[in-house]
Amino acid sequence: RKHGLLSYTRRVMPVTIGVLALQGDFAEHVATFKKCHTEVVCKEIRKTEQLAGLDGLVIPGGESTVILKLLKEFEMFDAVRTFGTSGMPFFGTCAGCILMSRSIDVDAAMAQSIDPNQRTLDLADYSVTRNAYGAQVHSFECDLQGDKAIFGDTPCRAVMIRAPMITRAGEGTETLLAHTHEDKGTTPVLLRQGNVLACTFHPEITGDARIHEYFARMASAHALPYTLPK
């Protein structure tokens, strides 16, 4: 119970977690999982067949439109979505959070630079706004205090780089961390719904592995590794 993280039991150790490695900071996720107390075998995922045998999957931060484009070009979009809809543990940070959402809010001004019909994986019942806090120059860091039973006494450092904002959290979602912005109000920044863990910031670049540990234990608690549909 280091850091006060919830304990789970599983059939065997270690867990095998895949990190989608088409674009973005996938290497930072792999490095962070190596710091977890739960024993994790990390694999970089670039082909559909590599999803077999995984206990969980991560979509890293990056450019959501580029990752979406590459998922389609590599003919992985449907396979990745099926991985999530089948109930397998699924974690997304920043761009990954955008792609896992049910919908993306785009106003008239944003529609000039952002596709208002950008497709998502629709893995959990929440909506997001892209680049909610402004351009790169408006990126910021903040400390977040969550449930001590999960995160312990030390605040989590959140790095918001052109971060999305969760504008709607549907029924059945659980807010694990929230942030209060002077202009935007209080919104979830780490949200869970069943097998899906969505994070608007970049825990993979702070050196703090607690959120990755939480996901590793979600994966550890899952019954069986993934089998590709026939």
Side-chain angles (χ1 to χ4, degrees):
R1 290 204 44 157
K2 186 107 171 177
H3 295 305
L5 289 160
L6 296 177
S7 61
Y8 295 100
T9 57
R10 186 185 188 264
R11 67 230 182 258
V12 291
M13 296 289 272
V15 293
T16 302
I17 293 176
V19 182
L20 190 69
L22 303 181
Q23 192 268 340
D25 59 354
F26 51 87
E28 287 81 355
H29 278 283
V30 172
T32 303
F33 277 117
K34 291 180 180 178
K35 298 178 181 179
C36 289
H37 298 288
T38 300
E39 187 179 354
V40 176
V41 173
C42 240
K43 295 184 177 181
E44 295 182 4
I45 305 301
R46 296 183 177 90
K47 299 178 181 179
T48 293
E49 53 265 34
Q50 293 175 321
L51 297 173
L54 297 183
D55 297 302
L57 181 64
V58 180
I59 297 184
E63 294 289 342
S64 63
T65 53
V66 174
I67 296 174
L68 176 62
K69 179 175 180 289
L70 292 172
L71 280 172
K72 293 176 179 177
E73 287 186 3
F74 283 75
E75 299 183 344
M76 293 180 66
F77 182 93
D78 290 337
V80 167
R81 185 172 189 278
T82 298
F83 185 97
T85 58
S86 71
M88 295 301 299
F90 209 116
F91 178 29
T93 63
C94 200
C97 174
I98 294 169
L99 287 169
M100 297 190 310
S101 68
R102 176 144 298 166
S103 61
I104 301 171
D105 298 332
V106 180
D107 60 24
M110 294 171 63
Q112 298 178 26
S113 58
I114 296 175
D115 181 2
N117 300 309
Q118 179 178 327
R119 193 177 180 189
T120 71
L121 293 166
D122 189 12
L123 296 181
D125 186 15
Y126 66 91
S127 301
V128 299
T129 296
R130 290 177 53 190
N131 303 336
Y133 304 98
Q136 184 87 10
V137 70
H138 299 116
S139 299
F140 62 95
E141 298 184 24
C142 59
D143 288 324
L144 305 171
Q145 188 68 61
D147 186 342
K148 291 183 179 181
I150 300 174
F151 300 108
D153 296 324
T154 306
C156 296
R157 189 69 174 170
V159 180
M160 305 280 195
I161 303 172
R162 294 176 58 205
M165 182 172 68
I166 295 174
T167 55
R168 183 191 62 83
E171 186 176 352
T173 60
E174 178 186 5
T175 296
L176 300 177
L177 291 171
H179 170 61
T180 301
H181 188 273
E182 59 182 4
D183 296 325
K184 307 291 185 179
T186 301
T187 56
V189 293
L190 182 65
L191 177 148
R192 180 175 178 179
Q193 185 174 36
N195 62 303
V196 173
L197 185 66
C199 184
T200 66
F201 57 96
H202 290 271
E204 68 276 13
I205 66 175
T206 64
D208 184 343
R210 282 176 290 173
I211 293 174
H212 287 72
E213 176 72 32
Y214 182 85
F215 181 70
R217 296 190 184 195
M218 283 175 58
S220 178
H222 192 75
L224 292 171
Y226 187 62
T227 302
L228 289 171
K230 295 182 180 179

